[in-house]
């Protein structure tokens, strides 16, 4: 019988390993949940594309050129990840190159007073998806603060969808 390494407590080590296995099982369930959400979203988009394609074919009487869109694949993908210690954060690209486990924090500031009027944290690595949540929060500002009448954002927020979103919100 070999001697145990210094500081090794077998019952404690077994409990640590059991806890780790439970965390891995929880992470796997989270990956499955996210994959099911993604698949439902992608399937709805696919069904919409196919309906538009079939309608166009029906109207023109001609077969649509090009490859048919591929049906989405269910289940987690190889690159899907869950952090075992902070499942709400994501691996995101950072300025200067590389990747970090992090969040995407956003803030809205009144340009005249410097008052912070909106803030939110997101798991999206791209700011293009963050304008809508900011506008939603700005909608709920107390009336005495007034209503925003202009929006200034850096180039990371720009997309055609965001321009349409601002027009819909009259900002």
């Amino acid at each position: 019988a070999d001697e145990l390494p210094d500081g090794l407590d077998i019952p404690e080590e077994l409990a640590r390993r059991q806890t780790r296995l439970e965390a891995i099982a929880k992470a796997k369930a989270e990956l499955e949940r996210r994959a099911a959400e993604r698949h439902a979203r992608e399937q709805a988009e696919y069904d919409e594309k196919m309906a538009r394609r079939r309608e166009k074919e029906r109207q023109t009487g001609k077969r649509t050129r090009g490859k048919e869109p591929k049906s989405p694949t269910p289940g987690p993908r190889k690159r899907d990840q869950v952090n075992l210690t902070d499942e709400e954060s994501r691996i995101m690209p950072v300025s200067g190159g590389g990747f970090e486990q992090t969040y995407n924090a956003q803030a809205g500031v009144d340009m005249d007073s410097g008052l912070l009027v909106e803030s939110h944290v997101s798991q999206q690595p791209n700011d293009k998806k963050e304008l809508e949540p900011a506008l939603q929060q700005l909608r709920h500002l107390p009336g005495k603060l007034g209503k925003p009448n202009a929006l200034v954002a850096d180039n990371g927020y720009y997309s055609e969808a965001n321009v349409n979103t601002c027009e819909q919100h009259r900002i």
Side-chain angles (χ1 to χ4, degrees), residues 89 116-117 168 171:
S89 65
L116 182 69
V117 293
Q168 289 170 0
I171 289 182

Side-chain angles (χ1 to χ4, degrees), residues 37-55 57 63 67-74 77:
E37 282 180 5
R38 181 185 59 239
H39 183 261
R41 186 177 58 252
E42 289 174 351
Q43 187 66 46
E45 291 170 2
Y46 171 79
D47 292 343
E48 184 180 323
K49 278 183 190 176
M50 292 303 291
R52 284 193 314 260
R53 187 178 176 109
R54 299 295 174 237
E55 180 62 24
E57 288 176 355
R63 195 163 182 270
K67 291 195 291 187
E68 268 197 25
K70 289 175 69 176
S71 179
T73 307
R77 296 180 180 154

